[in-house]
Amino acid sequence: MISRLLPAGADLISHIADELAAEPAAGTHDLAGTLVVFPGKRPGYFLLRAIADRLNTGFVPPRVVSMDEMVDEIHRARRPEARPDLEGIDAVALLFEIQREASRPLGGSAFLSLDTFFPVGLKIFSDLEELRIEGIEPRRVEEVQPLIDEGIPPQSRESLQTMRRFYEEFYPRVERQGFATRSSRYWEVCTTITAADAAAYSRIIVAGFFALTRAERTLFAGLGSRPGVSFLFQDGAGMKEKLAGMGITAAPVRAGSGSPGAAAPARPRSVQLYQSPDSHGQVFALSALLESPDQRTVIVLPSAESLFPLQRHCLSRLGRDAYNISLGYPLVRTPVYGFLNDLMELIGSMDEERVYVPRYLTFMLHPYTKNTLFRGSAAATRVLLHALEESLTRERTRMFATLSEIEGDDAIFEQAALGVSSDGVPADAEALRAHLRAIHAATLGRFRSFSTVRAFAEQCIDLLVWVHDSTTAADHPYFSPFAESFIEALHAISRSLIRDASFLDHRSYFTLLRRYLEGRYQRFPGTPLQGLQVLGSLETRNLSFDRVFILDAVEGTFPQAGPEDSLLPFPVRAALGLSTRKAREQMEAYYFSLLASGARELSLFFIDNGAREKSRFVERLLWEQQKQDRVVDARPYVRAIRYRVNLENLPPSAVPKSEELVRLLSARRFSASALGAYLRCPLSFYYGRVLGLSQRKEVTGDHEPADIGILVHDILAEYFRPTVGRRMEDRDLDPNVMDEVAARQFEAKYGPSDTGANRLLRVQLQKHLREFLSGYMRPLLGEAAVTNLALEKQVVMEWQGFSLTGRMDAVQRRGDRTVVIDYKTGHGAKGYAIDFRKLDVADRSTWGTAI
């Protein structure tokens, strides 16, 4: 086996392209006898382009594959029936059968339903695949337990026994079902590889690998026994240690050695570090630096969250043909998922036939729903749904409503008809009502009940088709690819082994879909290789660029961090030789070192705002530069990105009082709250009280203190109304009557109060109102004769040409005194007392602190 080691900074793709272009076979333009194997797919695209640039003529290309593709090809050649690949969702179905049949299931009774077992099942499948590809026997899973008992809790020790049972029973079931998994194919091919499996190739180059599984090491050993096979590694962080650990001796390839295309050692590079307070700041800074990008320029996105800010604020000015994107974008971050999730949240919050108004409005105002076409345009729907929103937020206490109540509210459709009037002629209110009913039927109506998982998935597909056909969503450039990825995932669910499963609670279907979509990505095409490259961290493997820009170079993202997504504890994984978080970080450090050492210009952007800090990779680069320059202070090496923000608070311009405005104010009645608003800010009074402008109201789902105060006033007014004009007696303080009044008023304002937050609030109100009767009113009746003279008394008086108005909650005669009552729902009497020591009636500035 021939193994060679390229120096750090060498261009792996150029080196292989030089070798192949210099071969005698290249002179005949036929390289079909060569097989090149990379860890991933993307280097193959660059290699074929590099060979074409060198030969500058038509040629028969070499076979360039990823490791997975090579294993799949050999497996298919051996088994022409080509057993289908086992999807993760199908694996969970088989594992769930094992779980249900177990005498001691994993987690006891916690994971005996499919929806609760699903996320656990995905982790078990991932762990089993790792065990299988490393060739670990099931008995070994338990054998490591005595070695590490002190390092793992008792629950984890028990789970090891369960994991062995899953391991022993799972793969035989996979075989019986006629499936194969990635690891089972790997292990079958790698342990039985022969020269005949690659007989079609006279030369095989295996290039660019760092960490190898046991199956891969076995396959390489089998390939290395035949002539014409060479392994090409690239020096970088930790590579020599890896090679020593695998027992591989690689001859170094040095500049001037005579080897075709031998690369020079790492070139001097310019390293620039940029510190930003947020994600958008680094995108803006990159946009300013990105001049004349070409195919030797790459933007690396360790986090997919930055893709669309980058697209919007940087790439959009380059033109679509000037760049290429290749990375996976999580489906759960797409607007399509947001739409489905809003609908699922709405249905999950329903109380029988009643929708929860905050969730209902969130869904109805989603851009897809809000832009449903009505007679070829979405404008009428937007007017309709904003009229609907205004109606439902007018009474913020209305938490639940049936669809028939909403559809039967004539005021909504009459207001919307006026809003979409043409030439002053209102639109057809009944047509708008029918339109809203159609939206309800196409969305909520589809998701009220499901017979099976397949039926649920098919309804989701039909809903996305409706969004495409009946809304403006298809006008968005990314809707179609996102929707297609969702439909592909939903088809996988509808064809899966759990397709005929049924759940008692329809929310379980939603949980299943969410769990499944968490691991799905939208894959951007990645070809053709034109212009600037935008790649994820993993897509940069084995590639070299002159200009490298890395965004989000923050700890936790670059490298990726977080707990092991595995049911096997860290000591167990380490003892079994499985990949650990430390190993993954070593691999990221290796590929980053290759990318950095091959670049002439390296720019890293990181966020440092207290919540996030720069990556350890950035810290290492900084420290190396500081050591080289013998400088202790790192600040001169980091360019801070700052925004120019003018925070000057200019005083608002005065609004002159015209004669017309003076006449208007003279004719109005002013309450205490209106006068208070004027004293605090005359301009605010003008905007709010004169122009009628106010903050947009929302139905938050919370019980607002102001609304509770109004409700308490209404309850007390109704309760004491029969006592007006006569002396109150002890029988007038009946707590049962108070409970009835409170329940009746509460239901009128908030709706039914049998469950949830409404029930809790009603019980609290009734409790405190009974305490008011027993703790305040009853002792008061014992001290003096009490007569209610008026309740909710509206008072109007004229003063210096102005009309003043106010409302008294209650007016009582107590003995020989007349008392004005102002009810307060807060606690703490001190908050409502007047501090006469601080009060100077003639000095208005003392009023706010004294009262």
Side-chain angles (χ1 to χ4, degrees):
M1 181 173 71
I2 301 174
S3 298
R4 296 173 294 160
L5 182 66
L6 285 176
D11 188 334
L12 177 68
I13 301 299
S14 293
H15 182 83
I16 298 173
D18 288 343
E19 282 192 352
L20 295 182
E23 281 191 349
T28 64
H29 313 306
D30 187 357
L31 296 174
T34 298
L35 173 68
V36 183
V37 184
F38 289 111
K41 292 182 180 181
R42 190 156 189 80
Y45 304 142
F46 284 80
L47 176 60
L48 294 178
R49 184 178 68 179
I51 296 172
D53 290 342
R54 283 156 176 77
L55 296 180
N56 198 27
T57 186
F59 66 99
V60 179
R63 181 75 175 127
V64 184
V65 296
S66 68
M67 185 67 178
D68 280 6
E69 288 173 325
M70 184 179 74
V71 169
D72 289 345
E73 286 184 7
I74 296 174
H75 190 268
R76 281 197 299 270
R78 292 179 177 183
R79 297 177 179 266
E81 67 273 17
R83 291 177 299 170
D85 195 15
L86 186 75
E87 288 265 0
I89 193 170
D90 296 319
V92 172
L94 297 179
L95 291 168
F96 186 58
E97 291 178 1
I98 301 171
Q99 168 81 343
R100 287 191 303 178
E101 295 167 4
S103 57
R104 297 181 63 185
L106 177 68
S109 60
F111 305 119
L112 290 181
S113 64
L114 182 57
D115 54 322
T116 57
F117 179 76
F118 192 84
V120 179
L122 289 175
K123 291 184 179 181
I124 295 173
F125 177 51
S126 176
D127 288 341
L128 295 183
E129 285 286 87
E130 285 191 81
L131 293 169
R132 182 68 168 166
I133 205 168
E134 293 292 348
I136 297 170
E137 296 294 330
R139 58 180 175 79
R140 282 277 293 144
V141 178
E142 277 193 83
E143 284 178 358
V144 299
Q145 181 174 325
L147 305 176
I148 52 178
D149 270 352
E150 294 184 3
I152 60 176
Q155 313 93 283
S156 297
R157 297 175 203 164
E158 184 177 343
S159 72
L160 291 181
Q161 300 170 355
T162 310
M163 186 65 73
R164 173 178 177 173
R165 176 171 47 79
F166 279 122
Y167 195 10
E168 288 175 332
E169 298 185 27
F170 176 68
Y171 287 100
R173 293 190 187 222
V174 173
E175 287 283 336
R176 290 196 298 270
Q177 289 280 351
F179 288 102
T181 72
R182 176 178 180 270
S183 292
S184 64
R185 289 195 306 275
Y186 256 76
W187 193 244
E188 178 182 334
V189 169
C190 295
T191 55
T192 59
I193 189 75
T194 65
D197 290 313
Y201 304 103
S202 59
R203 181 176 185 186
I204 300 176
I205 301 174
V206 181
F209 284 83
F210 175 69
L212 302 177
T213 65
R214 184 181 170 191
E216 290 169 337
R217 293 195 297 270
T218 304
L219 183 144
F220 287 170
L223 284 178
S225 62
R226 55 158 287 176
V229 178
S230 63
F231 294 85
L232 191 58
F233 299 96
Q234 195 167 3
D235 198 7
M239 174 52 81
K240 289 186 173 67
E241 293 80 0
K242 280 288 181 183
L243 292 176
M246 294 184 289
I248 298 175
T249 301
V253 178
R254 302 186 184 281
S257 64
S259 300
R267 293 165 284 176
R269 53 187 161 86
S270 166
V271 179
Q272 298 293 339
L273 305 178
Y274 297 89
Q275 175 183 324
S276 171
D278 54 34
S279 295
H280 283 76
Q282 58 182 352
V283 172
F284 294 145
L286 171 60
S287 180
L289 295 172
L290 207 58
E291 296 180 2
S292 304
D294 55 22
Q295 63 190 29
R296 298 293 301 168
T297 303
V298 65
I299 299 174
V300 184
L301 299 182
S303 171
E305 295 178 10
S306 299
L307 174 60
F308 286 104
L310 176 71
Q311 165 78 18
R312 173 67 180 84
H313 299 294
C314 183
L315 301 180
S316 59
R317 66 182 178 84
L318 300 179
R320 186 62 190 88
D321 295 334
Y323 64 90
N324 182 64
I325 298 173
S326 177
L327 72 157
Y329 191 78
L331 288 185
V332 295
R333 292 189 59 84
T334 64
V336 178
Y337 179 83
F339 174 75
L340 286 173
N341 190 62
D342 285 348
L343 179 56
M344 292 186 290
E345 291 281 357
L346 167 59
I347 294 172
S349 67
M350 289 180 67
D351 179 14
E352 296 181 349
E353 295 300 314
R354 299 184 305 148
V355 296
Y356 183 51
V357 171
R359 293 285 187 197
Y360 172 77
L361 287 176
T362 297
F363 172 71
M364 296 302 288
L365 295 176
H366 187 279
Y368 291 171
T369 322
K370 189 168 65 174
N371 287 285
T372 304
L373 298 174
F374 177 74
R375 297 176 179 173
S377 170
T381 307
R382 292 195 293 270
V383 172
L384 170 62
L385 294 186
H386 283 298
L388 172 68
E389 177 190 24
E390 185 177 337
S391 174
L392 292 177
T393 55
R394 192 174 297 119
E395 298 181 24
R396 291 182 299 164
T397 59
R398 188 180 186 183
M399 300 298 178
F400 288 90
T402 65
L403 294 182
S404 58
E405 289 173 347
I406 296 172
E407 294 166 358
D409 190 341
D410 294 337
I412 294 173
F413 306 102
E414 291 169 0
Q415 180 182 345
L418 290 173
V420 296
S421 61
S422 176
D423 297 328
V425 179
D428 185 352
E430 289 306 312
L432 292 173
R433 192 194 309 271
H435 181 50
L436 181 62
R437 285 175 176 155
I439 295 174
H440 287 162
T443 54
L444 282 80
R446 295 180 190 272
F447 284 75
R448 295 310 311 277
S449 63
F450 312 102
S451 56
T452 62
V453 169
R454 180 193 305 191
F456 167 69
E458 290 173 348
Q459 288 284 22
C460 290
I461 293 172
D462 290 343
L463 175 63
L464 293 181
V465 172
W466 176 84
V467 171
H468 179 274
D469 295 341
S470 303
T471 75
T472 61
D475 295 339
H476 190 281
Y478 287 109
F479 172 78
S480 292
F482 287 155
E484 288 167 5
S485 295
F486 271 90
I487 290 174
E488 180 183 336
L490 292 165
H491 275 307
I493 294 175
S494 68
R495 295 190 302 263
S496 69
L497 296 179
I498 66 169
R499 60 185 178 273
D500 296 323
S502 298
F503 301 127
L504 293 177
D505 187 351
H506 61 260
R507 283 174 289 195
S508 296
Y509 294 96
F510 302 150
T511 301
L512 174 68
L513 179 61
R514 289 189 180 101
R515 298 292 189 187
Y516 184 66
L517 291 176
E518 284 173 358
R520 304 283 294 204
Y521 292 84
Q522 167 65 37
R523 298 290 175 184
F524 290 86
T527 55
L529 301 179
Q530 56 189 15
L532 167 72
Q533 298 294 299
V534 181
L535 306 178
S537 296
L538 201 59
E539 282 77 11
T540 63
R541 288 183 301 177
N542 310 134
L543 301 179
S544 180
F545 297 91
D546 293 336
R547 301 176 71 199
V548 177
F549 300 93
I550 302 178
L551 298 182
D552 295 311
V554 294
E555 195 63 21
T557 299
F558 187 64
Q560 293 285 346
E564 297 280 358
D565 192 20
S566 168
L567 295 184
L568 297 174
F570 177 84
V572 175
R573 298 183 66 86
L576 292 173
L578 299 179
S579 171
T580 62
R581 182 174 66 251
K582 182 179 179 181
R584 289 194 297 273
E585 290 175 0
Q586 289 174 343
M587 184 175 69
E588 288 194 61
Y590 168 72
Y591 284 118
F592 169 67
S593 71
L594 295 185
L595 189 65
S597 61
R600 287 189 288 105
E601 179 184 338
L602 175 65
S603 301
L604 297 106
F605 301 79
F606 61 90
I607 300 169
D608 197 343
N609 56 10
R612 307 179 75 181
E613 57 186 17
K614 53 183 171 293
S615 162
R616 69 193 70 176
F617 296 161
V618 176
E619 295 281 14
R620 190 175 299 136
L621 283 173
L622 264 176
W623 177 237
E624 289 174 357
Q625 191 67 45
Q626 288 174 255
K627 287 193 298 181
Q628 178 181 321
D629 298 342
R630 298 180 178 272
V631 173
V632 175
D633 189 1
R635 286 177 294 180
Y637 299 98
V638 180
R639 299 184 182 183
I641 301 169
R642 292 186 173 90
Y643 300 130
R644 293 181 179 178
V645 181
N646 183 5
L647 299 178
E648 183 181 2
N649 190 11
L650 297 175
S653 302
V655 177
K657 293 185 177 67
S658 63
E659 293 184 6
E660 181 181 3
L661 185 56
V662 170
R663 287 196 301 271
L664 174 67
L665 293 176
S666 300
R668 300 189 67 169
R669 291 179 178 178
F670 296 95
S671 65
S673 60
L675 294 175
Y678 180 82
L679 293 176
R680 285 191 301 273
C681 177
L683 190 62
S684 173
F685 170 85
Y686 171 72
Y687 287 136
R689 303 287 175 156
V690 178
L691 299 184
L693 303 178
S694 62
Q695 186 177 358
R696 179 173 174 265
K697 294 182 179 179
E698 294 183 355
V699 181
T700 63
D702 297 326
H703 297 105
E704 300 292 339
D707 297 328
I708 296 173
I710 293 171
L711 173 61
V712 169
H713 281 67
D714 292 342
I715 293 171
L716 292 173
E718 179 180 347
Y719 179 82
F720 286 118
R721 190 164 291 117
T723 68
V724 174
R726 64 173 176 83
R727 178 176 177 174
M728 293 181 63
E729 300 178 9
D730 197 59
R731 58 184 174 84
D732 293 318
L733 306 179
D734 188 340
N736 294 323
V737 176
M738 177 64 82
D739 283 350
E740 293 173 3
V741 173
R744 184 166 56 251
Q745 285 279 356
F746 187 95
E747 186 161 344
K749 193 175 189 67
Y750 289 103
S753 59
D754 299 330
T755 58
N758 274 8
R759 178 182 176 84
L760 178 62
L761 177 59
R762 176 179 59 78
V763 170
Q764 288 290 320
L765 276 176
Q766 290 174 324
K767 174 178 178 293
H768 289 303
L769 288 168
R770 286 195 300 269
E771 290 174 351
F772 170 71
L773 293 181
S774 61
Y776 181 78
M777 290 303 301
R778 198 174 301 279
L780 185 62
L781 295 186
E783 295 174 2
V786 178
T787 301
N788 279 315
L789 303 178
L791 300 173
E792 300 297 323
K793 176 69 172 178
Q794 195 77 20
V795 180
V796 179
M797 66 171 292
E798 297 298 322
W799 178 76
Q800 296 187 7
F802 291 94
S803 180
L804 306 181
T805 182
R807 187 176 64 180
M808 305 175 187
D809 295 340
V811 181
Q812 290 179 351
R813 184 71 178 174
R814 298 179 180 178
D816 57 356
R817 292 190 309 149
T818 300
V819 181
V820 177
I821 308 296
D822 186 42
Y823 296 124
K824 296 296 180 184
T825 55
H827 59 84
K830 290 184 178 179
Y832 304 108
I834 299 176
D835 188 343
F836 289 99
R837 294 171 302 175
K838 298 180 179 180
L839 178 63
D840 181 354
V841 177
D843 184 359
R844 184 189 298 169
S845 64
T846 66
W847 296 4
T849 56
I851 303 177

